[in-house]
Amino acid sequence: ILLLDEPTSGVDPVTRQGFWQLLIRLLRQGVAVLLSTPYMDEASRCGRVGFLHHGRLLTEGRPSDLTGAMQDRVLEVSGADRRAVEGAARGNPAVEGAQAFGEHGHVYVRPGSAGEAAEWLTQELSRRGIRSVDVRVVPASLEDVFIDLLRDRDGGSAQGGMR
């Protein structure tokens, strides 16, 4: 068993990739690897993932199962200011939250409402004078899952997100 605590923090991308190739070789040899990482792209390479918050396990499972549970619940919004998106999204009861996500925004919606919510949000932003916006349904990432878990746990305020 190999235990690793954030082994690639502060490591350059080339060395990081080489490290993962080494881990893959060890796994093929039957070595069990348990690691902690703040990088969701690394976590998505693992066979099982557990999300911890304040020392408590929030959930665990295969990455595909965790992201699959949020299928058709994430809208990616490009071309609009985050605050404008959050303000517009508040008017739709299907919206559960919004979060800045790199240069885009992610809006989290109730199950079964993604298509309708995307169309509504596009129209609402246009009504507010924001017309060069792209709203589309995207697959959930592990980061989306973690943000959703924190929002549920904290009553709707996952690190600045809205409810």
Side-chain angles (χ1 to χ4, degrees):
I1 297 176
L2 180 60
L3 302 172
L4 301 168
D5 184 20
E6 298 186 11
T8 61
S9 291
V11 175
D12 68 87
V14 174
T15 303
R16 185 176 176 213
Q17 189 62 27
F19 176 80
W20 273 95
Q21 293 304 316
L22 174 63
L23 284 183
I24 290 167
R25 285 195 303 273
L26 289 172
L27 287 167
R28 287 183 182 145
Q29 294 173 9
V31 174
V33 178
L34 176 66
L35 69 90
S36 66
T37 181
Y39 305 122
M40 294 299 113
D41 65 314
E42 289 186 352
S44 68
R45 297 178 178 198
C46 297
R48 295 194 71 76
V49 173
F51 286 115
L52 298 172
H53 182 61
H54 295 300
R56 302 255 187 240
L57 182 65
L58 299 177
T59 193
E60 61 86 24
R62 294 185 341 213
S64 60
D65 292 340
L66 296 173
T67 56
M70 287 190 68
Q71 183 176 346
D72 295 327
R73 293 195 47 223
V74 182
L75 306 179
E76 181 181 80
V77 183
S78 316
D81 175 79
R82 186 190 100 211
R83 290 180 189 201
V85 172
E86 287 181 356
R90 280 192 185 99
N92 188 323
V95 172
E96 295 182 332
Q99 186 75 30
F101 207 88
E103 61 188 41
H104 306 287
H106 278 193
V107 175
Y108 305 102
V109 298
R110 291 195 173 105
S113 64
E116 196 174 288
E119 186 177 317
W120 180 90
L121 186 56
T122 301
Q123 292 173 359
E124 180 63 17
L125 288 166
S126 179
R127 188 183 70 72
R128 292 174 180 224
I130 303 166
R131 290 178 176 76
S132 60
V133 67
D134 180 37
V135 180
R136 62 190 181 105
V137 180
V138 296
S141 68
L142 286 177
E143 290 171 335
D144 291 314
V145 172
F146 189 61
I147 289 167
D148 192 56
L149 288 167
L150 291 183
R151 186 178 50 255
D152 286 348
R153 181 174 181 80
D154 296 338
S157 61
Q159 300 183 1
M162 47 132 313
R163 186 137 175 118

